[in-house]
Structures are given as C-alpha cells and as structure tokens.
Amino acid sequence: MKFYYFHLMPYPMDHAEPSSWVTLSNRYYDPAVGQRLYNQYLDQLEYAEKLGWDGVCVNEHHQNCYGTMPSPNVMAAMLARRTSRAKIAILGNGLPLRENPLRVAEEIAMLDVVSGGRVISGFVRGISAEYFSTGMNPAHSRERFYEAAELILRAWTEAGPFPFDGKFYRYHYVNPWPRPLQKPHPPVWCPSQGSSETVEWAAKRRFPYLMVFTPIKRIAQIYGEYREACERYGYTASRYQLTVNVPIAVAETDAKARELAQQHVMWVFNVGLRMHPPFWRPPGYLTEASLRRLLASPPRLPSELGFEEADREGYLIYGSPATVRDKLRVFSDELRAGILCSGLNGGSHERTLEMMELFAREVMPHFREDAHVDETAGVGR
Amino acid sequence: MTVERRELSVRGTPIHLLTAGAGPPLLFLHGAGGAGRWLPFQERLATTFTVYAPSHPGHGGSPDAPWIEHISDLAFHYLDLLDALGLDRVRLVGASFGGWIGAELATMASHRLQALVLIDPVGIKVDGWIYPFLFGMDVPEVVATVFHDPMAALALAPPDQSVDTLALQYRQGAALARVSWNPYLYDPLLRRRLGRIVAPTLLCWGAHDRLAPWSPCGETWAKEIPEASRRVFADSGHVPHLEEPAAVAAAVIDFCRSAEGGA
C-alpha cells in the first residue's frame, strides 16, 4: 500500500456560528496565528517525506476554518522545492470555479517541471459551498468541469497553438509554456463524494478515484461501481486507482488514541464541516438522479455525527499501532485500496510529529509488499 | 371554477398549462415556487378573463428544458406560447420572477400586450440595492424575506417531504438558478430596454417588500417606465397577489378595463 500524507491546513477554533463555511466572518482569522499554523503544516508535510510517506497532498477550499488553502498550487509550489522524492498530489483544483482554466494547465505544468515530474493533478468540482463563495453558477458546475478538464488535457498533450471553442471557455490560441514533464501528462485523480456521473467519467479515463470522508460501507459500494465501470470500459482497475481518505489517530494505547480522535478528529466533522443547510445543496450542483440517490438514504450531517457512530461507520480510524494496522487491513485487503491518503492530528504540532513518527515506525512498514511498485505507472492518464 | 389542466408542446418544449375562466385572454406568469397552483388570485381574475397559467419549464408539471439558459429564452418561450395558443394580443400579469420574464417579453414585443401588470418584479439592476440572496437562505429566512404575513406562505407550502416533492423543489431551484444565480435576479441589459415598453403598464407593489422594496426598486421601474400606473398594497410583502389576492385582482381588472377604454 502507498501512503500519502493529506492536509487540510485547518484553522482550528470553536465558535457558535451556524456555519463554518461562507459566512463565518474572517475577523476570526488571526494572521499571526495563521503564520504559525501554515509553517507548522508545511513542516509536517516535509517531515512526512522524511518519514517515508510516498506523497503529500494539498487541496483547495474557500472561505472557512476547515481548510485554509484557497490556492493549493501555492502550497504545492513551496513543497516542490522543499521535498525531493515524494509525489505532490493537488486534490485538487476546483475547475468549474475558474474563469480561465488554462491557468490550471499552466500552474500544474510549472509545478511538474520544477518538481521533476512529481505532481499528481486532482480535478474537482469544488464543494457545494464554494459556489456561494465564488459566485459561480452551480447549475453549470458539471458542464464546466467536463469542458475545463478537456481543455487542460488537450493543452498538456497537443502541440500548440490550437483554438478551443467551448460553451464556457473560448480561446484562439491555446499554447501554454511550459509543457508538463510527465508524459503524456501528470496523473489526474478524481476526488469525489460518489456521484455516479463522476464515477463513470473517471473510470472511462482511468483516472484514480478518491473517496473523501465517507463511511466505509459507502466506500465499498462506490468502489464496486467504479470497478464495474472499468470492466465495462474494457480493463481491470489497478488497486492504485482506488484511494481512500480517512483521518487517523494513533497512540501508544487504544484509550489514548481514542481520546485524541474524540478531541481533534471529530473537530473536522463537528465544527470544520458545520454548514448552513442551504450551502450543502446549491441548486443544479447535483443531477436529479444523484439527488434522488442521496435522498433515498440521506447521510448524516457531519455536524451531527457522534463519535460512536463515526467509529462504527468507519469515518475515522484510531488506536494503538496494532489496532490501526488491523483496521487498515480492511482498506488494503477487503476494499483493495492501493493508496491511503490520510492526515494525522495530535492536537498540537509536537504531538502530531510524534504521531507521524509512531505511524511511520509501527504501522507503515507492515503494508509495504509493494514498496518497489510505481503507483503512477499507467494510471491517471 | 373548473380549471383545465393540460400538457402541450411549445415549439418542441413540453409544458403544463392551467386554463380557466371566460373573456379576453390573460397570461399569468408565476413567481418562484408558484408553479401549477390555482390560487384565489387567479380564481378572481378568471371571473373576467380567460386566464392562462403555464408552469415555467423545469417548474411544477413542466419538465426541465435545458436549452433555457437565459431569461430571454423564457421570454421567447412565452411569445411562442402565445403563437401556439393562437393569441394575438393578451393581458400579461407577472409576479416577481414572472414579472421579470414579462418585462423581458414586453421589451421584445410590446405590441402583443393589451396591458402589462408587474407585481413586485425583479430583473433590473437597481442602483444602491442588492437583492437578498434567497439561494443562501433556509425556509424560515426565505419566508421572512418574501412575506409580510408568514401565514400567506402556507399557500405555497409543499404537500409533503417525499423524495418526489424534494426532487421537484430541487429541479425548480436548478431551473431558476440557471437563469438567475449570477447576475442574481437581474439581466444587466434589461433596465435600459424598459423604455421600449409602450403597452399600458401597471406596477403593483407590496408596501413591505424586503426582497425588492418599492424604494429604491419600484421607484426605478417607475422611472424607466414613466407612463406606468402604480398601486401599493399596504399589507403585503414581496407577493401581494398571495397576501392580498382580492385587492390585487381587483386592481388588475380595473386597470385592464381602463387600458381598454373602459370596455
């Protein structure tokens, strides 16, 4: 199994506002605290490479305390120069949110060239609330996503200049300098919450599929659908096309890990993902089919998720190294996920570094049968 | 009163249409959430007119029409409907979002209108005003913004919380968002074009409209359509035809009669 260190770069805080997204006033953001946090988070990502993680992950979110990386490419740029081996996975750029997606093609190519071909380029639509933060029309989200992705892939692979005349994006000259180093282009991943349309789209293009913060039963279901779709497109999905993202707390004992998970992992769900209900479901963001699927078995709002339920349903993993190993076996052996894309949170920078060390020492080595496999060979492009 | 409910195809776009009453034709364009409902307001209009009340594509019983991407598409759609019904000239009454469509249509084909009644329309950029963003509100906030009398909102309450009902509401929201999310509730080109409206026009306004208050919104409409008559309804918010249906219907009937030379 491959291990990628995932970071949201949250701004941990408690508040009584109805939403941690869109409307949570930025007067709560103290740039002096932010300076400390950003640098600690970057230290953690750099340390992950030293400890043996195969990749480091950044991602795009806007106007909230859940994740303070409105531009993931800025963070990736810093990591490109401070790491030398790990893959840098940007999970991802919110394509429909861009007025000029060619900029994404340019920035990813820059990062790929500087990093010596270590970039993984996630394509996402952006979380529902981001259509409130950016003013972009959610009813255009899916169409813009497909069109921007097509444009970027062509910009990376076809010799320019060429014209592009889409419904949303139009150019007379598509000719970005630089071109990416990886051939034919950096691997593309699709982080998603399981809409059938995205599963289909990713499977068709061999783009790895990443489930974010999802109960384990649903991961199993969506993985099944993805594998089935790959078969329909005439190939068998590599395990490295199935990536799982689950927060982990590891400590010397189960009891200690449980305490840390309760305190810090649950913050992500209970506070970080607290959202004014209309922000969850902007009009037209989902197809009617996806909406009906959601309504048929409505997931619990993260802000209402209790620890016992989160534990039972597999929203998170905690325990001693031995317990965490057992729990991870479910992902590696039963779900046959090839990549674990998780962050650790010890509540403070020092304790997080210790937790990372413990994980790297006591957990990771037990999943290294594939140490010499290149997980990006033949997938994502 | 017997209300005829039927499906018809308007230049290839299927819609659901309510028709009732007798007399000269009147086209009623509903606001957001008002599709497919035959309410006391329409009932009263139907005592004097043949009332045609279509559901906008994607709303109520009308299937979604993905080709509708801009408010002018809806205005053209209703010109097509007039042709499909064989109506040369009509009285057009539009409320809120329906008023926006009506105003767009009137700037394109004012000669097709015997009279135009706009009830708290949105649709123009008003200096010094930003329409409160209903898409970001939950139901209690929407009701507080749109209604002066919250009890009047019960007229638009969904029948249940079934998957079908919720899916319909979502589809309506999506159809609305496609043409109105950004710019929100206006067409930047419309305001200047209002001067093209020559049909007799009545502006009806709720005195307590918080979505598009008379000052500055109604005042701007009045300035751009200087010949327009004005009526303010003292006990209404954004939807006087739901909050004071009898008074608004009487005003519409009076206005249409006078516009037609007291006939």
Side-chain angles (χ1 to χ4, degrees), chain B residues 26-60:
Chain B
L26 181 149
L27 176 65
F28 174 68
L29 300 181
H30 65 81
R37 294 170 193 268
W38 190 262
L39 298 166
F41 177 64
Q42 285 107 301
E43 182 82 5
R44 285 176 183 264
L45 292 179
T47 59
T48 307
F49 303 110
T50 304
V51 175
Y52 297 89
S55 292
H56 308 319
H59 298 250

mmCIF file of all heavy atoms in Angstrom, chain B residues 26-60:
data_model
loop_
_atom_site.group_PDB
_atom_site.id
_atom_site.type_symbol
_atom_site.label_atom_id
_atom_site.label_comp_id
_atom_site.label_asym_id
_atom_site.label_seq_id
_atom_site.Cartn_x
_atom_site.Cartn_y
_atom_site.Cartn_z
ATOM 1 N N LEU B 26 -55.788 36.370 -20.720
ATOM 2 C CA LEU B 26 -54.815 36.933 -19.794
ATOM 3 C C LEU B 26 -53.780 35.843 -19.491
ATOM 4 O O LEU B 26 -54.134 34.725 -19.148
ATOM 5 C CB LEU B 26 -55.502 37.395 -18.511
ATOM 6 C CG LEU B 26 -54.616 38.044 -17.427
ATOM 7 C CD1 LEU B 26 -55.433 39.087 -16.638
ATOM 8 C CD2 LEU B 26 -54.024 37.031 -16.452
ATOM 9 N N LEU B 27 -52.514 36.194 -19.648
ATOM 10 C CA LEU B 27 -51.423 35.250 -19.362
ATOM 11 C C LEU B 27 -50.834 35.590 -18.006
ATOM 12 O O LEU B 27 -50.399 36.727 -17.778
ATOM 13 C CB LEU B 27 -50.353 35.371 -20.462
ATOM 14 C CG LEU B 27 -49.084 34.528 -20.291
ATOM 15 C CD1 LEU B 27 -49.390 33.036 -20.366
ATOM 16 C CD2 LEU B 27 -48.050 34.913 -21.366
ATOM 17 N N PHE B 28 -50.849 34.619 -17.108
ATOM 18 C CA PHE B 28 -50.269 34.842 -15.778
ATOM 19 C C PHE B 28 -48.953 34.079 -15.660
ATOM 20 O O PHE B 28 -48.919 32.852 -15.839
ATOM 21 C CB PHE B 28 -51.225 34.394 -14.669
ATOM 22 C CG PHE B 28 -50.592 34.480 -13.296
ATOM 23 C CD1 PHE B 28 -50.293 35.719 -12.736
ATOM 24 C CD2 PHE B 28 -50.263 33.321 -12.590
ATOM 25 C CE1 PHE B 28 -49.684 35.808 -11.475
ATOM 26 C CE2 PHE B 28 -49.657 33.403 -11.332
ATOM 27 C CZ PHE B 28 -49.366 34.654 -10.781
ATOM 28 N N LEU B 29 -47.871 34.799 -15.363
ATOM 29 C CA LEU B 29 -46.560 34.171 -15.182
ATOM 30 C C LEU B 29 -46.215 34.164 -13.695
ATOM 31 O O LEU B 29 -46.072 35.225 -13.071
ATOM 32 C CB LEU B 29 -45.489 34.923 -15.985
ATOM 33 C CG LEU B 29 -45.740 34.960 -17.502
ATOM 34 C CD1 LEU B 29 -44.602 35.714 -18.208
ATOM 35 C CD2 LEU B 29 -45.892 33.554 -18.086
ATOM 36 N N HIS B 30 -46.066 32.947 -13.174
ATOM 37 C CA HIS B 30 -45.879 32.780 -11.732
ATOM 38 C C HIS B 30 -44.455 33.132 -11.307
ATOM 39 O O HIS B 30 -43.528 33.156 -12.110
ATOM 40 C CB HIS B 30 -46.215 31.341 -11.328
ATOM 41 C CG HIS B 30 -45.282 30.300 -11.904
ATOM 42 N ND1 HIS B 30 -44.065 30.016 -11.356
ATOM 43 C CD2 HIS B 30 -45.413 29.490 -12.987
ATOM 44 C CE1 HIS B 30 -43.469 29.056 -12.059
ATOM 45 N NE2 HIS B 30 -44.260 28.727 -13.067
ATOM 46 N N GLY B 31 -44.319 33.347 -10.014
ATOM 47 C CA GLY B 31 -43.000 33.554 -9.428
ATOM 48 C C GLY B 31 -42.407 32.229 -8.969
ATOM 49 O O GLY B 31 -43.028 31.168 -9.136
ATOM 50 N N ALA B 32 -41.201 32.294 -8.375
ATOM 51 C CA ALA B 32 -40.547 31.068 -7.903
ATOM 52 C C ALA B 32 -41.435 30.393 -6.874
ATOM 53 O O ALA B 32 -41.931 31.042 -5.956
ATOM 54 C CB ALA B 32 -39.190 31.405 -7.295
ATOM 55 N N GLY B 33 -41.670 29.106 -7.037
ATOM 56 C CA GLY B 33 -42.469 28.355 -6.071
ATOM 57 C C GLY B 33 -43.958 28.383 -6.348
ATOM 58 O O GLY B 33 -44.731 27.730 -5.656
ATOM 59 N N GLY B 34 -44.377 29.138 -7.354
ATOM 60 C CA GLY B 34 -45.813 29.277 -7.597
ATOM 61 C C GLY B 34 -46.361 28.404 -8.714
ATOM 62 O O GLY B 34 -47.534 28.524 -9.072
ATOM 63 N N ALA B 35 -45.520 27.516 -9.256
ATOM 64 C CA ALA B 35 -45.935 26.743 -10.438
ATOM 65 C C ALA B 35 -47.071 25.781 -10.131
ATOM 66 O O ALA B 35 -47.105 25.161 -9.071
ATOM 67 C CB ALA B 35 -44.740 25.961 -10.984
ATOM 68 N N GLY B 36 -47.993 25.678 -11.074
ATOM 69 C CA GLY B 36 -49.022 24.640 -11.020
ATOM 70 C C GLY B 36 -50.093 24.875 -9.987
ATOM 71 O O GLY B 36 -50.912 23.995 -9.738
ATOM 72 N N ARG B 37 -50.097 26.042 -9.374
ATOM 73 C CA ARG B 37 -51.078 26.278 -8.310
ATOM 74 C C ARG B 37 -52.162 27.223 -8.817
ATOM 75 O O ARG B 37 -51.868 28.265 -9.386
ATOM 76 C CB ARG B 37 -50.408 26.880 -7.084
ATOM 77 C CG ARG B 37 -49.428 25.915 -6.440
ATOM 78 C CD ARG B 37 -48.627 26.643 -5.388
ATOM 79 N NE ARG B 37 -47.484 25.843 -4.969
ATOM 80 C CZ ARG B 37 -47.506 25.001 -3.936
ATOM 81 N NH1 ARG B 37 -48.607 24.837 -3.232
ATOM 82 N NH2 ARG B 37 -46.429 24.317 -3.615
ATOM 83 N N TRP B 38 -53.377 26.831 -8.586
ATOM 84 C CA TRP B 38 -54.514 27.694 -8.906
ATOM 85 C C TRP B 38 -54.969 28.316 -7.596
ATOM 86 O O TRP B 38 -55.557 27.662 -6.745
ATOM 87 C CB TRP B 38 -55.631 26.897 -9.567
ATOM 88 C CG TRP B 38 -56.695 27.801 -10.104
ATOM 89 C CD1 TRP B 38 -57.864 28.125 -9.502
ATOM 90 C CD2 TRP B 38 -56.650 28.507 -11.333
ATOM 91 N NE1 TRP B 38 -58.559 29.013 -10.276
ATOM 92 C CE2 TRP B 38 -57.847 29.272 -11.417
ATOM 93 C CE3 TRP B 38 -55.735 28.605 -12.384
ATOM 94 C CZ2 TRP B 38 -58.129 30.093 -12.504
ATOM 95 C CZ3 TRP B 38 -56.028 29.421 -13.458
ATOM 96 C CH2 TRP B 38 -57.217 30.158 -13.515
ATOM 97 N N LEU B 39 -54.661 29.584 -7.427
ATOM 98 C CA LEU B 39 -54.855 30.243 -6.142
ATOM 99 C C LEU B 39 -55.980 31.274 -6.252
ATOM 100 O O LEU B 39 -56.435 31.605 -7.360
ATOM 101 C CB LEU B 39 -53.541 30.908 -5.719
ATOM 102 C CG LEU B 39 -52.375 29.915 -5.516
ATOM 103 C CD1 LEU B 39 -51.041 30.645 -5.433
ATOM 104 C CD2 LEU B 39 -52.615 29.067 -4.270
ATOM 105 N N PRO B 40 -56.432 31.808 -5.114
ATOM 106 C CA PRO B 40 -57.543 32.779 -5.147
ATOM 107 C C PRO B 40 -57.306 33.936 -6.123
ATOM 108 O O PRO B 40 -58.257 34.443 -6.727
ATOM 109 C CB PRO B 40 -57.601 33.281 -3.697
ATOM 110 C CG PRO B 40 -57.097 32.131 -2.887
ATOM 111 C CD PRO B 40 -56.052 31.460 -3.742
ATOM 112 N N PHE B 41 -56.067 34.335 -6.300
ATOM 113 C CA PHE B 41 -55.770 35.440 -7.212
ATOM 114 C C PHE B 41 -56.195 35.094 -8.641
ATOM 115 O O PHE B 41 -56.915 35.854 -9.305
ATOM 116 C CB PHE B 41 -54.271 35.751 -7.156
ATOM 117 C CG PHE B 41 -53.813 36.825 -8.101
ATOM 118 C CD1 PHE B 41 -54.269 38.137 -7.977
ATOM 119 C CD2 PHE B 41 -52.910 36.534 -9.126
ATOM 120 C CE1 PHE B 41 -53.840 39.137 -8.842
ATOM 121 C CE2 PHE B 41 -52.474 37.525 -10.002
ATOM 122 C CZ PHE B 41 -52.944 38.824 -9.854
ATOM 123 N N GLN B 42 -55.767 33.917 -9.114
ATOM 124 C CA GLN B 42 -56.147 33.502 -10.467
ATOM 125 C C GLN B 42 -57.661 33.305 -10.559
ATOM 126 O O GLN B 42 -58.295 33.651 -11.560
ATOM 127 C CB GLN B 42 -55.452 32.193 -10.852
ATOM 128 C CG GLN B 42 -53.981 32.343 -11.190
ATOM 129 C CD GLN B 42 -53.090 31.782 -10.107
ATOM 130 O OE1 GLN B 42 -53.163 32.231 -8.971
ATOM 131 N NE2 GLN B 42 -52.276 30.803 -10.444
ATOM 132 N N GLU B 43 -58.216 32.728 -9.483
ATOM 133 C CA GLU B 43 -59.663 32.465 -9.460
ATOM 134 C C GLU B 43 -60.444 33.767 -9.699
ATOM 135 O O GLU B 43 -61.390 33.811 -10.471
ATOM 136 C CB GLU B 43 -60.024 31.851 -8.097
ATOM 137 C CG GLU B 43 -61.459 31.469 -7.919
ATOM 138 C CD GLU B 43 -61.801 30.107 -8.538
ATOM 139 O OE1 GLU B 43 -60.879 29.419 -9.022
ATOM 140 O OE2 GLU B 43 -62.992 29.763 -8.552
ATOM 141 N N ARG B 44 -59.996 34.833 -9.052
ATOM 142 C CA ARG B 44 -60.691 36.115 -9.202
ATOM 143 C C ARG B 44 -60.500 36.712 -10.595
ATOM 144 O O ARG B 44 -61.427 37.247 -11.182
ATOM 145 C CB ARG B 44 -60.229 37.104 -8.144
ATOM 146 C CG ARG B 44 -60.837 36.766 -6.794
ATOM 147 C CD ARG B 44 -60.339 37.665 -5.694
ATOM 148 N NE ARG B 44 -60.914 37.235 -4.426
ATOM 149 C CZ ARG B 44 -62.018 37.776 -3.897
ATOM 150 N NH1 ARG B 44 -62.636 38.761 -4.518
ATOM 151 N NH2 ARG B 44 -62.476 37.323 -2.749
ATOM 152 N N LEU B 45 -59.267 36.582 -11.102
ATOM 153 C CA LEU B 45 -59.029 37.095 -12.458
ATOM 154 C C LEU B 45 -59.909 36.363 -13.467
ATOM 155 O O LEU B 45 -60.377 36.940 -14.456
ATOM 156 C CB LEU B 45 -57.556 36.928 -12.847
ATOM 157 C CG LEU B 45 -56.533 37.772 -12.087
ATOM 158 C CD1 LEU B 45 -55.121 37.457 -12.598
ATOM 159 C CD2 LEU B 45 -56.820 39.271 -12.250
ATOM 160 N N ALA B 46 -60.142 35.079 -13.190
ATOM 161 C CA ALA B 46 -60.884 34.254 -14.138
ATOM 162 C C ALA B 46 -62.371 34.608 -14.186
ATOM 163 O O ALA B 46 -63.096 34.127 -15.060
ATOM 164 C CB ALA B 46 -60.688 32.776 -13.794
ATOM 165 N N THR B 47 -62.835 35.462 -13.246
ATOM 166 C CA THR B 47 -64.232 35.915 -13.347
ATOM 167 C C THR B 47 -64.404 36.868 -14.521
ATOM 168 O O THR B 47 -65.499 37.081 -15.013
ATOM 169 C CB THR B 47 -64.664 36.661 -12.061
ATOM 170 O OG1 THR B 47 -63.786 37.791 -11.885
ATOM 171 C CG2 THR B 47 -64.583 35.749 -10.840
ATOM 172 N N THR B 48 -63.303 37.464 -14.975
ATOM 173 C CA THR B 48 -63.369 38.486 -16.017
ATOM 174 C C THR B 48 -62.615 38.081 -17.284
ATOM 175 O O THR B 48 -62.925 38.537 -18.374
ATOM 176 C CB THR B 48 -62.756 39.805 -15.471
ATOM 177 O OG1 THR B 48 -63.404 40.116 -14.246
ATOM 178 C CG2 THR B 48 -62.937 40.950 -16.449
ATOM 179 N N PHE B 49 -61.587 37.237 -17.093
ATOM 180 C CA PHE B 49 -60.705 36.893 -18.214
ATOM 181 C C PHE B 49 -60.615 35.372 -18.376
ATOM 182 O O PHE B 49 -60.886 34.614 -17.439
ATOM 183 C CB PHE B 49 -59.277 37.411 -17.966
ATOM 184 C CG PHE B 49 -59.201 38.889 -17.740
ATOM 185 C CD1 PHE B 49 -58.894 39.405 -16.478
ATOM 186 C CD2 PHE B 49 -59.431 39.786 -18.787
ATOM 187 C CE1 PHE B 49 -58.817 40.774 -16.264
ATOM 188 C CE2 PHE B 49 -59.346 41.153 -18.577
ATOM 189 C CZ PHE B 49 -59.046 41.654 -17.306
ATOM 190 N N THR B 50 -60.171 34.954 -19.543
ATOM 191 C CA THR B 50 -59.702 33.582 -19.699
ATOM 192 C C THR B 50 -58.248 33.591 -19.263
ATOM 193 O O THR B 50 -57.409 34.224 -19.906
ATOM 194 C CB THR B 50 -59.803 33.123 -21.164
ATOM 195 O OG1 THR B 50 -61.151 33.291 -21.597
ATOM 196 C CG2 THR B 50 -59.380 31.670 -21.303
ATOM 197 N N VAL B 51 -57.991 32.944 -18.127
ATOM 198 C CA VAL B 51 -56.648 33.005 -17.540
ATOM 199 C C VAL B 51 -55.835 31.790 -17.988
ATOM 200 O O VAL B 51 -56.257 30.648 -17.799
ATOM 201 C CB VAL B 51 -56.718 33.055 -16.000
ATOM 202 C CG1 VAL B 51 -55.312 32.991 -15.388
ATOM 203 C CG2 VAL B 51 -57.443 34.329 -15.552
ATOM 204 N N TYR B 52 -54.697 32.059 -18.577
ATOM 205 C CA TYR B 52 -53.744 31.010 -18.948
ATOM 206 C C TYR B 52 -52.588 31.075 -17.949
ATOM 207 O O TYR B 52 -51.937 32.117 -17.846
ATOM 208 C CB TYR B 52 -53.202 31.228 -20.365
ATOM 209 C CG TYR B 52 -54.266 31.149 -21.429
ATOM 210 C CD1 TYR B 52 -54.986 32.287 -21.820
ATOM 211 C CD2 TYR B 52 -54.561 29.931 -22.042
ATOM 212 C CE1 TYR B 52 -55.963 32.208 -22.797
ATOM 213 C CE2 TYR B 52 -55.546 29.846 -23.021
ATOM 214 C CZ TYR B 52 -56.244 30.984 -23.396
ATOM 215 O OH TYR B 52 -57.210 30.907 -24.351
ATOM 216 N N ALA B 53 -52.378 29.999 -17.215
ATOM 217 C CA ALA B 53 -51.325 29.988 -16.190
ATOM 218 C C ALA B 53 -50.386 28.808 -16.437
ATOM 219 O O ALA B 53 -50.579 27.718 -15.899
ATOM 220 C CB ALA B 53 -51.936 29.915 -14.798
ATOM 221 N N PRO B 54 -49.370 29.017 -17.277
ATOM 222 C CA PRO B 54 -48.403 27.935 -17.546
ATOM 223 C C PRO B 54 -47.388 27.814 -16.421
ATOM 224 O O PRO B 54 -47.147 28.772 -15.692
ATOM 225 C CB PRO B 54 -47.711 28.411 -18.828
ATOM 226 C CG PRO B 54 -47.794 29.918 -18.758
ATOM 227 C CD PRO B 54 -49.069 30.261 -18.012
ATOM 228 N N SER B 55 -46.807 26.611 -16.285
ATOM 229 C CA SER B 55 -45.657 26.436 -15.396
ATOM 230 C C SER B 55 -44.396 26.631 -16.230
ATOM 231 O O SER B 55 -44.271 26.055 -17.316
ATOM 232 C CB SER B 55 -45.651 25.038 -14.788
ATOM 233 O OG SER B 55 -46.741 24.890 -13.903
ATOM 234 N N HIS B 56 -43.469 27.433 -15.711
ATOM 235 C CA HIS B 56 -42.213 27.626 -16.447
ATOM 236 C C HIS B 56 -41.518 26.271 -16.619
ATOM 237 O O HIS B 56 -41.579 25.428 -15.716
ATOM 238 C CB HIS B 56 -41.265 28.562 -15.678
ATOM 239 C CG HIS B 56 -41.881 29.861 -15.253
ATOM 240 N ND1 HIS B 56 -42.725 30.589 -16.057
ATOM 241 C CD2 HIS B 56 -41.756 30.572 -14.097
ATOM 242 C CE1 HIS B 56 -43.099 31.686 -15.412
ATOM 243 N NE2 HIS B 56 -42.525 31.699 -14.216
ATOM 244 N N PRO B 57 -40.823 26.080 -17.731
ATOM 245 C CA PRO B 57 -40.096 24.816 -17.902
ATOM 246 C C PRO B 57 -39.190 24.546 -16.696
ATOM 247 O O PRO B 57 -38.498 25.439 -16.209
ATOM 248 C CB PRO B 57 -39.277 25.062 -19.170
ATOM 249 C CG PRO B 57 -40.124 26.025 -19.956
ATOM 250 C CD PRO B 57 -40.739 26.939 -18.921
ATOM 251 N N GLY B 58 -39.260 23.303 -16.202
ATOM 252 C CA GLY B 58 -38.480 22.930 -15.009
ATOM 253 C C GLY B 58 -39.244 23.170 -13.720
ATOM 254 O O GLY B 58 -38.820 22.735 -12.660
ATOM 255 N N HIS B 59 -40.373 23.858 -13.801
ATOM 256 C CA HIS B 59 -41.167 24.165 -12.603
ATOM 257 C C HIS B 59 -42.493 23.397 -12.663
ATOM 258 O O HIS B 59 -43.047 23.195 -13.744
ATOM 259 C CB HIS B 59 -41.465 25.668 -12.522
ATOM 260 C CG HIS B 59 -40.240 26.525 -12.406
ATOM 261 N ND1 HIS B 59 -39.901 27.213 -11.259
ATOM 262 C CD2 HIS B 59 -39.266 26.805 -13.303
ATOM 263 C CE1 HIS B 59 -38.782 27.886 -11.445
ATOM 264 N NE2 HIS B 59 -38.372 27.662 -12.691
ATOM 265 N N GLY B 60 -42.997 23.015 -11.480
ATOM 266 C CA GLY B 60 -44.295 22.347 -11.393
ATOM 267 C C GLY B 60 -44.354 21.149 -12.319
ATOM 268 O O GLY B 60 -43.433 20.322 -12.345
#
